[in-house]
Amino acid sequence: MTSTASSPDTRQGQSPQDQRPSWQQRLRRFGYTAGPRSDVRERLVPPYVQAGPRVWQVFGVPPALAERITRWSAWGGPLLVTLMAGVMRFWHLGSPKAVIFDETYYAKDAWALVHRGFEVNWDKNANDQILALNGHVTIPTDAAYVVHPPVGKYVIGLGELIFGFNPFGWRFMTALLGTLSVLMLCRIGRRIFRSTFLGCLAGGLMAVDGLAFVMARTSLLDGVLMFFVLAAFGCLVIDRDKAREKLAAALQPDADGRVRPDAHIAETTRLGWRPWRWLAGLMLGLAIGTKWNGLYIMVAFFLMAVLWDIGSRKVAGAGNPYKAVLPDAAVTFVATVPVALVTYLVSWTGWILSPTDGKGGYFRNWAATDGKGGNWTWLFPDWWRSLWHYEHEVYEFHKNLHSPHTYMSNPWSWLVDGRPVSYFYESPSPGKDGCPVDAGQKCAREVLAIGTPLLWWVACFAVLYILWRWLLRRDWRAGAIACGIAAGYLPWFLYQERTIFFFYAVVFVPFLCLAVAMLLGAIVGPPGSSDTRRVAGATGAGVLVLLIAWNFIYFWPLYTGTAIPIDDWRSRMWLDTWV
């Protein structure tokens, strides 16, 4: 008989059917665990991979100092990657000095919101006046009909209040949030993979992704939406760890010091009000208040959080984890859905408090003029009925948006960079607008919203890898990454006939980077692999990362609007659909 103190990987004395590889062995073969899991506590809260000290000692660093460096790298590494991302995103942020693409809507709407509380109709020559007068223009008073909620525009407007109504001012907050997103992704990746290196790798990949880079340097709403979605995901990941730590602490070790599953404790332990889950609800509310597709992400994240709780209870030993998780699911629902919807409603405060005499927000006086009557109107105040009517009209607009656009694309083409969006283009002559005097021909200046091609093409394989890891290996990390991608990507397939654009994909760029980091980690090899295997894997993964970084540098002029000879611009148009 096998001793109760033997390793969980021991297979002596068991039937041939039980001699197949354990889940620990399978996970170590493809994953990033630090070693065998000796008890349930380590299954609930896996340790972090600590390969750092050995790496530093190879370079002659004393063991004590190597340990200290490794400890500081948990924050030092992510901050270093974030510094690199921030320098790139804020470099010449005010260039091009122009209102590019949809900045013509959101920059002006943001300025009106932070001063009047609602959007207004601007003169058709307003862009030229704003640039010529450095933003010193009179804000119109006539309300405008807009089709996106106000949160993202308030965020943009905060930068305008600080730095003025100019290109740097209206791009400042998107650049700041884009930089902070890299920091969040490094830390989220570290927590998911239990590896500082893989976390920093995910953040580094996002730092050199062209789409994330361009969106951080443009005052559009989708970059703001991505920040709130990633923040909500990070809050849920932290909450998952905190909940599992509480379950692990509740389990008591037996006589031989091992912690075993306990059905009673697993089913009766309550996890409290879980503040990180409430904060996730707030972030999801801000996401919905930026763009409505945050609703799909809220539903997906709610289901993911409930499934995480079921898995935690099951690992702890619950005989019926679905019943045991009901109290957690109730808290999750309240912390997610009502909190998100209340946050969304509060974001309309400026519109709600605007005048109702026809000089306030668009449709603000609808209930008092056109919305009278009905059996239930006495139950709801005028502002509620007016806002409901406004939201219904916006829904009808989005549902029936079929106006052709030069840069519209089908979501099937997004993962392969099929149809990027040109935000800005001009052809300066030699000696003008940065075009070299000795160019000998006209130049091209373009801001092209396109993902770093090699990164996105590798991501196609990474998505297949995480689907395999999730469906066949039951790896929760792969499932979480797949959920983030699916929530931001799949809903657009319901609207393939609508006018939609590739830059909407920035919402799931962080999850693509996590998927690529997980794939590269598998290429490097798990702990315990032979030196030959690790060297070969690290070489292959390193070459791939360097090629992705080179690809970003190669396309840098197209991301920043730098003038280059027209032939150099043509050499970067790898696909006909990019023109």
Side-chain angles (χ1 to χ4, degrees), residues 174-449:
T174 53
L176 179 62
L177 296 189
T179 302
L180 293 177
S181 296
V182 172
L183 177 60
M184 285 196 300
L185 189 62
C186 289
R187 293 290 297 177
I188 290 170
R190 179 180 185 272
R191 188 174 286 271
I192 287 178
F193 299 129
R194 289 307 200 250
S195 166
T196 300
F197 169 74
L198 288 180
C200 290
L201 177 59
L205 291 172
M206 185 172 169
V208 297
D209 174 61
L211 182 60
F213 178 77
V214 171
M215 294 302 290
R217 292 170 55 87
T218 314
S219 62
L220 270 65
L221 301 181
D222 300 84
V224 180
L225 172 63
M226 179 270 289
F227 173 83
F228 289 131
V229 169
L230 183 60
F233 181 79
C235 290
L236 292 176
V237 170
I238 295 174
D239 172 79
R240 179 185 184 273
D241 276 0
K242 298 294 184 184
R244 291 169 77 93
E245 287 172 3
K246 288 184 179 180
L247 280 176
L251 295 170
Q252 299 300 319
D254 55 19
D256 60 8
R258 290 186 58 193
V259 177
R260 302 178 187 277
D262 188 310
H264 176 72
I265 292 178
E267 293 173 359
T268 59
T269 299
R270 294 293 167 254
L271 303 175
W273 285 98
R274 309 175 73 166
W276 285 103
R277 193 154 286 191
W278 290 80
L279 185 57
L282 174 64
M283 294 297 106
L284 289 170
L286 293 173
I288 299 169
T290 301
K291 292 190 78 171
W292 275 7
N293 49 314
L295 282 166
Y296 293 105
I297 296 166
M298 179 186 71
V299 173
F301 282 7
F302 167 73
L303 295 176
M304 178 181 68
V306 172
L307 290 175
W308 283 353
D309 285 342
I310 292 172
S312 300
R313 299 283 181 173
K314 187 175 181 180
V315 170
N320 187 350
Y322 300 97
K323 182 179 179 181
V325 84
L326 289 179
D328 300 328
V331 172
T332 302
F333 177 81
V334 175
T336 304
V337 180
V339 169
L341 296 181
V342 169
T343 302
Y344 176 82
L345 189 62
V346 170
S347 72
W348 284 89
T349 300
W351 181 90
I352 293 171
L353 297 180
S354 67
T356 58
D357 58 359
K359 298 180 180 180
Y362 201 86
F363 280 138
R364 178 61 186 87
N365 64 338
W366 177 86
T369 55
D370 302 323
K372 293 182 177 180
N375 296 328
W376 302 99
T377 55
W378 61 274
L379 281 175
F380 304 100
D382 284 357
W383 67 265
W384 176 276
R385 289 185 287 123
S386 295
L387 181 59
W388 182 267
H389 175 72
Y390 195 169
E391 303 286 66
H392 178 265
E393 291 298 308
V394 170
Y395 170 76
E396 291 295 325
F397 170 86
H398 285 302
K399 186 177 68 172
N400 299 307
L401 181 60
H402 301 297
S403 303
H405 193 283
T406 304
Y407 292 105
M408 63 186 292
S409 62
N410 191 285
W412 286 105
S413 68
W414 288 0
L415 285 183
V416 294
D417 272 344
R419 183 58 172 163
V421 183
S422 181
Y423 287 172
F424 170 84
Y425 184 88
E426 66 177 18
S427 300
S429 301
K432 296 183 178 179
D433 295 327
C435 184
V437 176
D438 58 352
Q441 56 182 326
K442 68 178 182 179
C443 290
R445 288 188 69 201
E446 183 172 30
V447 176
L448 186 66

